[in-house]
Amino acid sequence: MNNENINPLCLQKQSTLLGAYDARTICHKIIVPFEIEVLKKALGGSNEPFLNKPARFSKLDKTNAVRRGNDQAILNALCDNLPLISSSADAYQCLIYLLCKLIQIRDEREKLTLFMIDDSTNLPSKLLQYINEALKISYEGEVLTLMVAGIYHLMYLHNPDIIVEVHPVNQSGASGREVSDLDIYINGKLISSNELKDKKYAETDVRHAADKVMYAGGTRMLFIEGSRGEKDSDFIDTIQNEYMFRNFMLRILSYQFFLSTMISSLEIIDCNEFVRFILQTAHETKFKKEVISYLDKLAQQIFGLKRN
């Protein structure tokens, strides 16, 4: 149903602007399922829209609190251009334009995960070679997160009840049910939490991550450090024993130990599925484009990845 009386700058009914409406309700009930089912998460796949800080206002305004730079530029553009939509015909044309752009994003993303890797590369040594080479560049911890997530994905590859859920690096609370950097759920229940750190960290970082998992009802957490994950003091044994006394299993371990243990336990080594998962996850989690390109090119070099 068309309604030319609504104000496109409004986010909530509580707005004092004329034409106020509840944008989140429309997003949640209409746009979210369409974006997930048809657009294949081209907008990021969030099932809880309007929970980020820029959307927690009653209306769009250039004075709303957002990060400087690109986020502020986007807010300014919305405030300048949305009021120019003055009729249902204008809105329809804008909708068609945006859908075309999103379909293009969806199709380009799907092409990226359509490739072939020869079965001859499905060797533990080859997979470990790829991961070690990838981890030579951190990209602010995004590579470590994807490598660990990919290994978990292979571990649970044939269990459809298990979901390996990756969250944006260095963006706390970006997901509605985010507990750690990498959470694993079985039938919706949290079974494993993983905090990943590829830079110097302190005891307070470990405590913050572990307490967050405990608060969410979790009973265990791995704190996995990358090659750049230097500690500022020796506290591992003390803090692990402390949390064990609190009936919580906390283990701080190196990425080498994690990878060698997990890869040696994998029933199936599927490098094609590993690369497909990490590239798709990087897209859906809005990791850097440079990371996606880097991992794609590396897969071409080491696995012989080919596209038609």
Side-chain angles (χ1 to χ4, degrees):
M1 182 178 70
N2 295 329
N3 186 347
E4 296 188 1
N5 294 319
I6 68 169
N7 191 318
L9 291 178
C10 292
L11 297 174
Q12 302 174 3
K13 284 183 179 180
Q14 292 85 352
S15 170
T16 56
L17 294 176
L18 292 176
Y21 74 107
D22 189 1
R24 186 177 187 276
T25 297
I26 293 177
C27 255
H28 192 75
K29 294 184 177 180
I30 300 174
I31 296 178
V32 165
F34 179 80
E35 190 258 349
I36 292 176
E37 297 169 13
V38 179
L39 297 177
K40 307 300 181 183
K41 301 183 180 180
L43 285 169
S46 172
N47 60 353
E48 293 293 341
F50 289 81
L51 290 183
N52 58 341
K53 287 184 179 179
R56 290 181 178 176
F57 296 88
S58 61
K59 63 181 180 180
L60 290 173
D61 189 278
K62 292 182 180 180
T63 61
N64 289 0
V66 295
R67 289 178 296 184
R68 288 179 291 182
N70 189 53
D71 286 3
Q72 184 67 61
I74 292 173
L75 176 61
N76 292 346
L78 289 171
C79 292
D80 290 337
N81 291 291
L82 285 177
L84 300 179
I85 302 174
S86 58
S87 68
S88 293
D90 290 342
Y92 181 75
Q93 290 301 316
C94 290
L95 177 62
I96 295 299
Y97 172 79
L98 292 173
L99 283 174
C100 288
K101 297 292 287 186
L102 291 170
I103 289 171
Q104 183 181 16
I105 293 172
R106 179 199 66 186
D107 292 347
E108 289 177 353
R109 177 182 297 175
E110 289 185 342
K111 286 180 182 178
L112 187 68
T113 56
L114 293 176
F115 53 77
M116 288 294 298
I117 292 178
D118 194 89
D119 289 346
S120 62
T121 64
N122 292 332
L123 299 169
S125 58
K126 206 70 172 177
L127 179 58
L128 189 58
Q129 178 191 355
Y130 175 83
I131 294 174
N132 284 332
E133 190 66 29
L135 287 170
K136 288 182 178 180
I137 304 179
S138 175
Y139 284 108
E140 297 181 304
E142 290 187 356
V143 175
L144 177 61
T145 299
L146 290 170
M147 296 303 104
V148 172
I151 292 300
Y152 272 123
H153 177 67
L154 292 185
M155 177 67 72
Y156 301 119
L157 186 58
H158 298 299
N159 191 332
D161 295 327
I162 294 182
I163 295 176
V164 179
E165 191 170 279
V166 178
H167 305 291
V169 176
N170 299 324
Q171 293 184 36
S172 179
S175 168
R177 68 173 185 177
E178 174 183 346
V179 178
S180 62
D181 291 331
L182 195 163
D183 301 319
I184 299 174
Y185 293 87
I186 179 168
N187 293 321
K189 180 181 179 181
L190 180 67
I191 62 167
S192 177
S193 296
N194 302 261
E195 195 72 12
L196 311 169
K197 195 69 68 173
D198 201 16
K199 60 182 180 181
K200 188 174 182 178
Y201 65 91
E203 180 180 350
T204 52
D205 296 314
V206 181
R207 288 186 179 278
H208 175 75
D211 290 344
K212 189 175 179 182
V213 175
M214 290 182 68
Y215 182 78
T219 58
R220 73 200 86 173
M221 186 190 81
L222 294 181
F223 192 98
I224 303 173
E225 61 175 33
S227 59
R228 302 159 192 84
E230 302 176 10
K231 299 175 285 294
D232 64 357
S233 63
D234 188 11
F235 56 82
I236 292 180
D237 289 342
T238 301
I239 195 172
Q240 287 183 162
N241 290 333
E242 175 192 329
Y243 276 86
M244 187 68 74
F245 183 76
R246 297 166 63 183
N247 296 319
F248 183 84
M249 192 197 85
L250 167 66
R251 284 294 178 267
I252 302 170
L253 62 157
S254 70
Y255 76 97
Q256 296 104 322
F257 181 82
F258 172 85
L259 292 173
S260 59
T261 302
M262 293 288 283
I263 292 177
S264 66
S265 303
L266 289 176
E267 178 184 1
I268 297 174
I269 302 293
D270 189 334
C271 295
N272 192 94
E273 182 60 25
F274 178 87
V275 175
R276 185 204 64 77
F277 176 79
I278 64 173
L279 292 182
Q280 180 175 315
T281 299
H283 265 297
E284 293 181 353
T285 318
K286 297 182 180 180
F287 280 10
K288 298 178 184 66
K289 291 182 179 180
E290 297 91 334
V291 174
I292 297 170
S293 176
Y294 168 65
L295 295 176
D296 191 291
K297 290 178 181 177
L298 196 60
Q300 295 175 42
Q301 297 170 15
I302 295 178
F303 295 138
L305 180 153
K306 294 180 181 179
R307 292 185 174 84
N308 293 331

